[in-house]
Amino acid sequence: MILAQLSSPPDPSFWREAFQTLSLRAGYNTTVVVLGTTLLGVAAGLVGSFLLLRKRSLVADALSHATLPGVALAFLIADAIGNGLSAKSLPVLLLGAAITGVLAVLTVQLIVRHTRLREDAAIGLTLSVYFGVGVVLLRAAPDYASTPASGLHHFIYGQTAGLLITDVYLMGAIATIAILAAAFLFKELALTCFNDDFARATGWPVSILDIALMALVVLVVVAGLQAVGLILVVALLIIPPAAARFWTERLARMVLASALIGGASGYAGSTLSALLPRQPTGAIIVLVAGALFIISMLAAPTRGVIPTLIRRARLRARFATDHLVEFLFDTASPASLSEVARDRAWSSLQSRIIATGARTAGLITGPRSALTLTDAGRARGRRVARNHALWSQYLVTYADLAPSHVDFSVDQVEHILSEELIAELEQALAKRGIKITSAQTSSGGDA
Amino acid sequence: MTSRTTPNPRTHAPLSERPEHSAEAPLSVHAMTVAYHRKPVLWDVDLDLPPQSLVAIVGPNGAGKSTLIKACLNLIPIAAGRVEFWGDTFEHNRSRVGYVPQRESVDWDFPVSALDVVAMGRYRRIGWFRPVTRKHKQAALRCLEEVGMGEYANRQISQLSGGQQQRVFLARALAQEAELYFMDEPFAGVDAATERAIVAILRRMREQGRTVVCVHHDIQTVPEYFDHAVLLNMRVVAAGPVAEVFNRENLQRTYGGRLTLLTEATEAVARAERGST
Amino acid sequence: MNTFLTLDLMPLLAAVLSALSCGLLGNFLVLRRLSLMGDAISHAVLPGIAAAFVITQSRSPVAMLIGAGVAALLTVLIVEIVKRLGKVEPGAAMGVTFSVLFALGVVMIERAARSVDLDADCVLYGQLETLASFGASGDAIQVPRQVITLIIVTLFALAFVGVLFKELRISAFDPGLSTSVGISAGLMHTLLMALVAAAAVASFEAVGSILVIAMLIAPAATARMLTDRLRPQIFVSLIAALIASVGGYFLAAHAESLGFKRSLDAAGMITVISGLLFAIAAVASPNHGVLARAIRRRALADRVILEDLLATIYRAHETGAPGAREEALRAALGTNRASAALSIATRRALITRRDAHIALTDIGSALAADLVRRHRLWETYLVDRAGVRPDHAHGPAEILEHARADNRAPIAPDLDATTDPHGRHIPSPHDN
């Protein structure tokens, strides 16, 4: 949609309209549609979180594609029955969608259980074949029904333009049910996702909880069919939780963030789509969600790529400063920067940056040819030397158990190992004749 | 699911006050045969565990140690035989039985804190639909403190070392307040300090009258850590007090040479059962 | 000129070529558990095609191929980035990537549709039927460029698999080993993905993205049910692709003669047929089919009950009785099973009825002696060697006595014992 605007600069009325829609003042119908889609986004975000953590995201893809034959069949059957039953009545079509969707999930499970195919092939196979059946039925439908089948293909890409208010109410109601159920089952689903064996051993009916989760997925998919379309509704289940994961390490917060991101995508997406009636709503909602995902992946402080890189760079800088200080502490006499650089195999540029950093932090003084430690630098040097010795001893004693996540040169022993263990290591060092200054004498220090 | 949202009242009383807490065997296994994916892995296991003891299950890889635990906990179906807890079924005694699965069995990148994991031990007690309240969180925190992990309560679990993760699992087991525990390799991949801490916790549990059954892979430490040993290799080679059964001859029979013919026949039966050639 | 040549030949050719090229490459996707990568790529080529339209303002096939190819490789790259840098679970990483790219493509196509004749729907269904008009114009058959592109891509795919067969096989089976012997698994992966992208793009316009996904997975999955080795698997998958495309096309095109009001969607029908082929293979495959396995299980159950029957009568003979009473047999084996076993045994002349007793014939007796021998040897083995308590040995021995090796020879312990743990005589192989 950004693309759509690039070629023709929007006139002022566009922005006025946009603001009205965003602030829910664009007329009753638009407002209801925007609210309904927002609710859908929230539901998808909630349910999708558990789906992601159970590592079943793509089963939902098979499910949503498989709703097409259900919609087409429900239309044909309702039309054949006639008798006051409108062939395009939304509840009927959604019921059909739910039935074939569930059938597809069962098909995937049957294939995985009874054949030698893996889950990926089972999902792809089910998805394409069910969808193929749907396409055949959909394109043949006009020939066999008295009701015009014109609106049916909107289920594929989603279209909010032709939504009836009652349809939105239905969508909102289904989404609300999904939200409430996910909220009530929060603890149970969390346990199942984290440790299903433990859940089973403590008496939770894991298979029933799994079925409940799939039922919630069906609800969300079915609710989203009209607005988002069946190809992209699965994106609403996958993208918000994946994006939310970058922001937090806590489940409750992640689920909340996911619901928020889903809701925001639905809200902004349907608003934009109201302004650009030619555009398929589903695609726009997904693009908004995608943009939020990219922002989260790059910038989220907890697990985002850029903050992680920055943290790593900072750590490496501290690491280098430690090495510089330790070298000067060990030699105990002024040393030239090039000497240190040779010892650590730093390039001259690297060594200058490191030295400047250490100088700014007040750890070293003197000209580059004869660097000396300040008092603070000596204190830091003592700490580093002790740390180094303890870690070496730890590696000697427990070589086979060294946990992979410990950065031995940087992490302070006190933060990782227990007091008793440190005492033990100190004793071992003393036995080998290596004296280390105890932690108390060191001061100041590490940035 | 016939959920028992109101837990067995007797589990709330301190262990010593519980009348049933007698010399009755917390676990007895009778002629149990287990087929894993239709391949028999345990033949005809008979076991009787004494109360208030630390029991090690030892045996070579593929001997069916974890399978024995999982079969007792009803996690995998039993082909033949039966398991009794205090002379009754597992279903009737579920709240008295705790479980510590293998550390590798979960995704440690899961977005939960150490405290959240420990609180999971109380979910059954909390019951369906109800949220985890402050009371339960405090109980969970006490369990974390008991294993020396109180200050790590709010750490995300991937930021813990292997030993610390194992302690979190142990704290979760404590939070279950069970009387009989099954632990799958609680000493796997932990440092020496944690190993000592775990042993101390296990001994404390025994003093409180609990029974702990551990799958254990380090034969050297069995006599030091445990009272009872079950030597397992597809069937029980020997079981009893460590002093009686833990001898060279039994160990040789457990570890020395798999019963190749038995294995071969077992696999042939399994293949035929599966229906593949 | 007949209607086949003018109307059917070109769309049929397009369908067959799409099916063959995708079906061929799909074998490696299914083996490497990358099936959904094909799914992701075929969704994600859409923005590439749309970008080509937007930039060139035409349906230039070269621009389209380049655009789609770039998009496909970008997909592979983005999935890797999201997976590695973002630490997102592989399935979700794929889901995020392809749905966003697809959404982008849909929006761009809507935008491009104003200047170029194309809409989002034909992305899914393709335009197989429209190819017919090419052949109909004029006397000489014109080959539409979609078909030409498909011919080139199919030849490329065949050459790729033909020349690099051994490299593809090893990198699919064991990427680590492959790289260590100098065949970069990463390079093979990239090449494979590039070709999948090319096949997807070439097929895209003609048959639509759903058929591409179906053809990447279904023929290979069908072949996997029928074969155990890679070469035959590829061969069978190509046949499956051929049957599905030809069969699906004709069923759709000539649906009228089957009682439908009009022809059906060809791409959809081909997908349906490929799904049916898989279903048939999954149920009826002689080795891995659900049915064959059920039959083998049934046969095993029959054999076991027959063997149990003979052994029971043999034990009755041992006590000196002239045979076993029918009611006793029914009680011991269960009524239904006993009746079935009795009729089989009678048919094979293993038993005879004497008065109220059922006795073994000579053949039956020999079989039964062998069986009882194995049972008692197993009991001895379990007690002596495996440390099972004597009163517990019967159960396992009941199972083990039926064990047969792959060459159908019975498996039994090679022991010299003449009596079992209960002191009963173990029949020698030469008794009777």
Side-chain angles (χ1 to χ4, degrees):
Chain A
M1 129 301 319
I2 295 160
L3 241 129
Q5 293 313 311
L6 277 181
S7 48
S8 55
D11 52 284
S13 70
F14 174 85
W15 295 111
R16 198 167 54 242
E17 214 183 312
F19 180 71
Q20 280 177 347
T21 320
L22 280 170
S23 56
L24 302 175
R25 284 181 298 177
Y28 182 69
N29 283 14
T30 315
T31 305
V32 170
V33 169
V34 169
L35 282 179
T37 330
T38 308
L39 215 51
L40 170 73
V42 171
L46 275 178
V47 173
S49 299
F50 296 109
L51 201 62
L52 177 79
L53 292 173
R54 194 93 177 103
K55 301 189 166 62
R56 298 231 166 117
S57 298
L58 288 175
V59 178
D61 198 22
L63 191 159
S64 65
H65 276 80
T67 53
L68 186 62
V71 169
L73 272 179
F75 171 78
L76 286 172
I77 292 171
D79 182 78
I81 296 172
N83 204 5
L85 187 63
S86 165
K88 276 206 231 164
S89 136
L90 191 60
V92 174
L93 299 183
L94 294 191
L95 182 68
I99 291 173
T100 47
V102 169
L103 274 180
V105 174
L106 293 179
T107 310
V108 170
Q109 279 175 359
L110 271 180
I111 293 177
V112 171
R113 191 167 308 160
H114 293 290
T115 76
R116 60 205 314 220
L117 291 187
R118 309 281 172 179
E119 194 179 38
D120 63 322
I123 289 174
L125 193 66
T126 308
L127 175 159
S128 55
V129 172
Y130 273 78
F131 195 82
V133 174
V135 168
V136 171
L137 290 174
L138 192 66
R139 299 195 99 185
D143 297 336
Y144 302 92
S146 51
T147 327
S150 56
L152 287 187
H153 72 270
H154 283 319
F155 283 102
I156 296 179
Y157 290 108
Q159 185 69 278
T160 48
L163 275 185
L164 297 173
I165 286 298
T166 48
D167 295 349
V168 184
Y169 286 154
L170 181 64
M171 176 175 99
I174 298 176
T176 310
I177 293 172
I179 292 170
L180 290 177
F184 269 112
L185 286 171
F186 183 89
K187 158 175 118 275
E188 288 77 4
L189 291 175
L191 180 62
T192 306
C193 293
F194 175 60
N195 195 344
D196 52 358
D197 259 0
F198 181 80
R200 233 171 259 134
T202 44
W204 295 100
V206 169
S207 45
I208 290 177
L209 285 167
D210 271 336
I211 291 170
L213 179 58
M214 270 304 148
L216 291 181
V217 173
V218 171
L219 284 184
V220 169
V221 167
V222 160
L225 275 191
Q226 267 214 316
V228 187
L230 56 89
I231 296 185
L232 287 172
V233 69
V234 68
L236 226 44
L237 283 161
I238 300 178
I239 300 176
R245 185 70 186 87
F246 290 111
W247 293 93
T248 171
E249 298 283 9
R250 284 306 135 73
L251 184 61
R253 283 178 217 161
M254 172 188 155
V255 173
L256 228 55
S258 172
L260 210 67
I261 292 172
S265 311
Y267 171 68
S270 56
T271 304
L272 284 167
S273 139
L275 302 173
L276 309 161
R278 262 186 63 86
Q279 299 293 355
T281 318
I284 293 181
I285 293 177
V286 171
L287 281 184
V288 173
L292 292 175
F293 176 84
I294 293 170
I295 294 171
S296 307
M297 174 166 155
L298 291 180
T302 314
R303 286 165 72 100
V305 173
I306 294 171
T308 307
L309 285 179
I310 292 174
R311 266 198 301 275
R312 220 174 281 164
R314 277 215 193 118
L315 212 62
R316 219 174 301 146
R318 209 183 79 186
F319 197 177
T321 312
D322 277 352
H323 282 305
L324 174 64
V325 169
E326 191 185 9
F327 185 90
L328 294 173
F329 185 78
D330 282 350
T331 54
S333 60
S336 77
L337 185 58
S338 54
E339 236 177 290
V340 191
R342 238 193 339 272
D343 184 57
R344 301 296 325 171
W346 290 332
S347 72
S348 79
L349 180 68
Q350 273 177 319
S351 62
R352 274 181 217 189
I353 295 173
I354 295 160
T356 312
R359 206 186 291 275
T360 321
L363 297 172
I364 55 171
T365 59
R368 217 178 281 154
S369 55
L371 294 171
T372 51
L373 289 173
T374 62
D375 285 347
R378 257 188 299 282
R380 170 88 167 256
R382 209 174 295 130
R383 269 180 76 97
V384 172
R386 168 174 184 273
N387 207 30
H388 195 138
L390 283 172
W391 274 132
S392 317
Q393 183 59 35
Y394 178 75
L395 284 178
V396 170
T397 322
Y398 302 111
D400 51 330
L401 295 168
S404 56
H405 69 284
V406 173
D407 193 338
F408 294 103
S409 314
V410 177
D411 282 321
Q412 297 292 312
V413 271
E414 295 90 341
H415 296 168
I416 308 285
L417 305 180
S418 61
E419 270 174 49
E420 315 102 72
L421 189 56
I422 292 177
E424 183 189 306
L425 292 175
E426 280 175 342
Q427 264 179 358
L429 283 171
K431 232 179 263 169
R432 287 168 53 202
I434 304 168
K435 279 233 178 72
I436 51 163
T437 22
S438 84
Q440 276 70 35
T441 54
S442 69
S443 63
D446 70 311
Chain B
M1 166 72 206
T2 55
S3 78
R4 289 177 302 141
T5 35
T6 43
N8 196 337
R10 66 184 173 211
T11 55
H12 285 304
L15 287 170
S16 50
E17 290 170 23
R18 290 176 209 171
E20 307 76 349
H21 187 246
S22 62
E24 192 179 8
L27 175 75
S28 39
V29 178
H30 307 281
M32 179 170 80
T33 296
V34 178
Y36 220 165
H37 299 301
R38 298 188 188 229
K39 176 183 163 175
V41 282
L42 281 178
W43 287 110
D44 189 47
V45 170
D46 276 309
L47 267 184
D48 271 297
L49 296 187
Q52 204 169 353
S53 57
L54 300 181
V55 184
I57 300 177
V58 291
N61 284 335
K65 297 178 301 245
S66 295
T67 306
L68 177 57
I69 283 189
K70 287 186 176 169
C72 288
L73 288 166
N74 229 349
L75 292 178
I76 48 178
I78 296 172
R82 65 180 197 282
V83 183
E84 283 178 358
F85 293 82
W86 295 279
D88 200 353
T89 62
F90 176 57
E91 292 303 321
H92 288 156
N93 286 288
R94 211 191 266 281
S95 59
R96 298 168 76 187
V97 180
Y99 177 42
V100 177
Q102 265 180 41
R103 191 158 54 88
E104 295 83 54
S105 67
V106 304
D107 171 14
W108 287 95
D109 199 31
F110 203 83
V112 283
S113 67
L115 188 70
D116 294 335
V117 173
V118 178
M120 286 176 186
R122 302 185 66 83
Y123 279 11
R124 208 56 214 147
R125 189 148 306 171
I126 297 168
W128 281 92
F129 307 126
R130 270 180 251 163
V132 184
T133 57
R134 181 183 292 273
K135 188 186 89 189
H136 292 290
K137 281 197 178 145
Q138 274 164 355
L141 185 61
R142 276 197 299 279
C143 295
L144 261 181
E145 279 162 357
E146 217 173 308
V147 300
M149 291 282 295
E151 54 189 305
Y152 297 94
N154 286 318
R155 281 253 192 127
Q156 203 262 329
I157 51 175
S158 69
Q159 293 161 7
L160 303 172
S161 73
Q164 291 170 332
Q165 290 174 345
Q166 196 65 61
R167 288 200 213 189
V168 169
F169 261 12
L170 221 57
R172 179 173 72 174
L174 293 177
Q176 284 187 269
E177 293 181 13
E179 295 159 60
L180 167 67
Y181 285 98
F182 292 96
M183 302 190 180
D184 207 340
E185 306 243 4
F187 296 104
V190 305
D191 58 80
T194 305
E195 184 156 335
R196 283 197 296 273
I198 293 176
V199 170
I201 296 164
L202 295 186
R203 291 197 173 133
R204 208 151 58 228
M205 290 168 84
R206 178 180 55 191
E207 278 155 31
Q208 290 162 342
R210 305 171 207 257
T211 300
V212 182
V213 184
C214 293
V215 168
H216 194 59
H217 60 202
D218 182 10
I219 326 175
Q220 312 251 311
T221 52
V222 169
E224 188 190 339
Y225 294 167
F226 295 96
D227 318 319
H228 272 68
V230 177
L231 282 75
L232 195 74
N233 190 351
M234 290 180 73
R235 81 286 174 205
V236 175
V237 175
V242 170
E244 287 173 27
V245 299
F246 217 68
N247 52 43
R248 246 189 88 181
E249 194 205 333
N250 279 342
L251 282 173
Q252 201 123 44
R253 284 173 58 205
T254 312
Y255 286 86
R258 305 235 307 160
L259 298 159
T260 44
L261 186 64
L262 188 58
T263 313
E264 188 193 333
T266 300
E267 273 164 9
V269 172
R271 268 200 310 278
E273 282 275 315
R274 262 202 312 274
S276 64
T277 44
Chain C
M1 193 161 285
N2 68 33
T3 52
F4 171 75
L5 284 182
T6 51
L7 285 177
D8 289 331
L9 182 61
M10 285 307 141
L12 178 62
L13 209 53
V16 169
L17 289 170
S18 304
L20 289 182
S21 55
C22 292
L24 176 66
L25 297 168
N27 282 297
F28 299 97
L29 291 185
V30 170
L31 274 187
R32 295 187 69 166
R33 300 183 198 174
L34 289 170
S35 307
L36 291 170
M37 211 57 215
D39 183 11
I41 287 178
S42 54
H43 275 92
V45 290
L46 187 59
I49 291 177
F53 284 143
V54 172
I55 293 167
T56 64
Q57 292 293 313
S58 73
R59 297 177 69 149
S60 149
V62 179
M64 199 177 81
L65 265 175
I66 293 173
V70 169
L73 290 181
L74 218 58
T75 312
V76 179
L77 192 71
I78 296 175
V79 169
E80 279 306 302
I81 289 175
V82 173
K83 215 159 55 182
R84 298 238 176 108
L85 284 184
K87 291 184 210 127
V88 176
E89 186 243 329
M94 239 183 275
V96 169
T97 310
F98 80 71
S99 55
V100 172
L101 284 174
F102 190 74
L104 190 66
V106 169
V107 169
M108 286 169 78
I109 288 271
E110 283 295 328
R111 167 107 189 96
R114 285 172 217 169
S115 43
V116 193
D117 170 37
L118 194 88
D119 65 23
D121 284 352
C122 80
V123 165
L124 291 174
Y125 321 138
Q127 297 177 307
L128 210 45
E129 287 81 356
T130 62
L131 292 178
S133 58
F134 283 94
S137 67
D139 284 334
I141 295 170
Q142 288 179 325
V143 182
R145 63 168 172 73
Q146 286 98 325
V147 174
I148 295 173
T149 321
L150 273 168
I151 291 174
I152 296 170
V153 169
T154 309
L155 289 178
F156 246 103
L158 280 170
F160 173 69
V161 174
V163 173
L164 293 175
F165 180 77
K166 135 176 132 293
E167 286 80 2
L168 277 167
R169 182 168 58 185
I170 188 171
S171 67
F173 173 64
D174 187 345
L177 173 74
S178 165
T179 306
S180 73
V181 298
I183 299 162
S184 162
L187 179 68
M188 295 310 293
H189 178 71
T190 314
L191 280 177
L192 180 64
M193 285 302 154
L195 264 173
V196 168
V201 173
S203 310
F204 207 60
E205 209 186 344
V207 301
S209 64
I210 281 303
L211 183 54
V212 170
I213 301 172
M215 283 302 131
L216 280 172
I217 302 173
T222 309
R224 192 114 173 78
M225 297 307 302
L226 296 170
T227 59
D228 283 314
R229 301 186 50 198
L230 190 51
R231 255 178 240 272
Q233 181 190 317
I234 290 176
F235 186 67
V236 173
S237 73
L238 290 178
I239 292 178
L242 196 67
I243 295 175
S245 52
V246 175
Y249 181 81
F250 276 110
L251 274 181
H254 301 286
E256 275 167 280
S257 47
L258 296 171
F260 288 92
K261 286 186 190 163
R262 205 181 308 174
S263 59
L264 297 169
D265 182 77
M269 274 314 282
I270 296 173
T271 311
V272 172
I273 299 295
S274 69
L276 280 180
L277 286 181
F278 170 77
I280 293 170
V283 171
S285 159
N287 261 327
H288 304 288
V290 174
L291 206 63
R293 280 158 51 177
I295 290 173
R296 275 200 297 273
R297 260 201 296 274
R298 181 65 204 267
L300 173 75
D302 281 351
R303 175 163 71 80
V304 168
I305 181 65
L306 183 65
E307 289 179 354
D308 286 348
L309 174 82
L310 296 182
T312 312
I313 306 174
Y314 185 89
R315 291 190 182 103
H317 278 302
E318 274 188 331
T319 62
R325 299 186 71 86
E326 189 163 341
E327 312 85 81
L329 279 176
R330 286 183 192 282
L333 300 172
T335 321
N336 291 337
R337 301 181 58 200
S339 305
L342 279 171
S343 62
I344 298 174
T346 315
R347 203 171 341 119
R348 292 217 214 140
L350 302 173
I351 53 171
T352 53
R353 284 161 199 267
R354 273 183 221 150
D355 309 326
H357 292 286
I358 295 174
L360 294 168
T361 63
D362 285 350
I363 316 167
S365 181
L367 277 176
D370 194 38
L371 204 78
V372 171
R373 184 177 105 80
R374 262 182 283 144
H375 179 90
R376 289 179 183 165
L377 280 175
W378 272 118
E379 281 199 41
T380 313
Y381 179 85
L382 285 168
V383 172
D384 287 0
R385 302 284 171 93
V388 172
R389 292 210 310 258
D391 55 329
H392 282 74
H394 179 74
E398 278 280 88
I399 300 174
L400 291 169
E401 70 189 32
H402 302 293
R404 295 260 175 108
D406 287 343
N407 61 7
R408 317 196 113 229
I411 301 172
D414 186 18
L415 299 172
D416 287 335
T418 51
T419 53
D420 73 359
H422 311 288
R424 286 175 307 215
H425 173 65
I426 298 179
S428 86
H430 313 294
D431 277 10
N432 298 300

